[in-house]
Amino acid sequence: MKKIFFIISSFFIFFEVLADQPKDWQLGFQNPASDGMRDIVNFHDNLLLPIIIAITVFVLFLMLYACVRFRASANPNPSKRTHNVTVEILWTLIPCLILIVMAVPSFKILYKQDTIPKADLTIKAVGYQWYWGYEYPDENIIFDSYMIEEKDLKADQPRLLAVDNEVVVPVNKVVKVLITANDVLHAWALPSFGVKRDAVPGRINETWFKAEKEGTYYGQCSELCGIKHAFMPITVKVVSEEDYQEWLSEARVKFAKEEIENNKLKIASK
Ligand SMILES: [Cu+2]
């Protein structure tokens, strides 16, 4: 019995570890890696899904019942009734109540996502046709992030999702993301973090996430933006604070935004 339990639980744990990207034949959401996404998954799995199933079953039952009970041979003289006040009130009120039951927790989640807590770091994501550009405004870092072609993929890199320069963020820190675009509409979306915001030229949208476990998370542009819309993925690498600091010190040199500051650095180090 213990063995079976172990096998079943290891099956789930296995999925948990690899759960940061879409899988073949996957049903449902990617596994949540932030509080916000956990709220969304709970809302969907524990409230929306049961309501949807109940409505579907009820409607199916009504249709089958009507087909059998009122078929021509069993009911040769059909009723000529066209109105029934009680039924009409019921089929207006009950759907209203169902919508209210769904709306209240839904708004709660929306407002929670909308309130950005004090950010530990800020990232700016800019959509271009067809790649993402990133900036770390407080760190003088800027770089572009292109999808890796299929022929250049390494063994652990997923097709159409891996990029050359990933966004790197520390684990358990509030990351604020400023999102905009430079040409047409794009959308910055990362399912595991429950994040999706339109990137609009001339306007800055913002969102936030706090990744709870280290790993590589994949998302895609989610606003049809042109012929290569499917080829501008989003990759976020969540690392420990130490690894993040290490990456920062490298990135400050490799992706320095201001050349002048770079020269100053060089002069200072001479
Ligand atoms: Cu796009």
Side-chain angles (χ1 to χ4, degrees), residues 4 15-16 51 63 71 80 108 130 134 143 160 162 170 182 191 194 219-220 258 260 268:
I4 295 169
F15 266 91
E16 185 79 23
I51 291 178
M63 279 165 57
R71 65 187 193 278
K80 296 277 193 300
K108 263 192 199 160
W130 289 273
Y134 294 101
F143 58 87
L160 298 183
N182 206 41
Q220 289 171 305
E258 300 286 342
I260 309 149

Side-chain angles (χ1 to χ4, degrees), residues 20-268:
D20 314 318
Q21 64 192 66
K23 318 267 175 337
D24 291 344
W25 301 103
Q26 177 179 359
L27 279 179
F29 291 107
Q30 293 179 38
N31 275 4
S34 77
D35 211 33
M37 189 56 190
R38 199 165 307 111
D39 289 345
I40 295 173
V41 172
N42 280 338
F43 174 57
H44 173 268
D45 290 359
N46 302 330
L47 186 75
L48 294 189
L49 216 52
I51 291 178
I52 292 165
I53 291 171
I55 292 175
T56 313
V57 170
F58 178 64
V59 172
L60 183 71
F61 162 78
L62 282 186
M63 279 165 57
L64 289 177
Y65 180 79
C67 288
V68 175
R69 171 74 181 75
F70 301 111
R71 65 187 193 278
S73 55
N75 191 39
N77 299 314
S79 151
K80 296 277 193 300
R81 186 198 301 274
T82 55
H83 288 83
N84 183 313
V85 177
T86 322
V87 171
E88 278 160 21
I89 289 174
L90 281 181
W91 76 34
T92 311
L93 268 187
I94 293 173
C96 278
L97 289 176
I98 294 174
L99 286 179
I100 291 168
V101 167
M102 294 195 300
V104 173
S106 159
F107 283 136
K108 263 192 199 160
I109 294 174
L110 276 177
Y111 287 130
K112 195 173 152 189
Q113 286 186 327
D114 218 36
T115 337
I116 302 179
K118 198 183 162 327
D120 294 306
L121 74 144
T122 304
I123 292 171
K124 188 175 164 193
V126 187
Y128 298 94
Q129 280 177 318
W130 289 273
Y131 62 96
W132 288 96
Y134 294 101
E135 264 182 65
Y136 287 60
D138 304 328
E139 309 290 350
N140 191 39
I141 290 172
I142 187 166
F143 58 87
D144 292 334
S145 185
Y146 283 89
M147 189 192 78
I148 299 176
E149 296 289 326
E150 211 171 329
K151 58 178 170 23
D152 302 326
L153 284 177
K154 291 191 196 113
D156 59 336
Q157 288 178 322
R159 182 180 153 267
L160 298 183
L161 291 174
V163 297
D164 54 357
N165 295 317
E166 295 137 344
V167 175
V168 178
V169 296
V171 71
N172 283 323
K173 289 281 161 70
V174 175
V175 181
K176 180 168 154 180
V177 194
L178 305 173
I179 300 159
T180 186
N182 206 41
D183 34 43
V184 298
L185 292 177
H186 301 269
W188 201 81
L190 253 164
S192 290
F193 300 156
V195 163
K196 182 181 277 180
R197 277 286 182 284
D198 276 357
V200 184
R203 182 197 154 99
I204 290 186
N205 282 340
E206 45 182 33
T207 186
W208 68 282
F209 63 83
K210 188 166 130 187
E212 286 167 350
K213 47 182 184 164
E214 292 176 30
T216 309
Y217 299 88
Y218 298 99
Q220 289 171 305
C221 177
S222 297
E223 179 69 60
L224 190 53
C225 59
I227 194 166
K228 286 174 81 179
H229 165 61
F231 308 106
M232 49 181 296
I234 296 149
T235 307
V236 174
K237 220 169 141 182
V238 179
V239 298
S240 65
E241 182 61 37
E242 299 87 69
D243 289 351
Y244 175 65
Q245 291 303 335
E246 201 174 301
W247 177 83
L248 264 190
S249 53
E250 279 172 27
R252 279 195 195 112
V253 179
K254 195 176 165 196
F255 302 129
K257 185 181 182 187
E258 300 286 342
E259 287 291 332
I260 309 149
E261 282 192 32
N262 219 7
N263 289 341
K264 262 188 207 161
L265 274 177
K266 271 184 201 160
I267 293 162

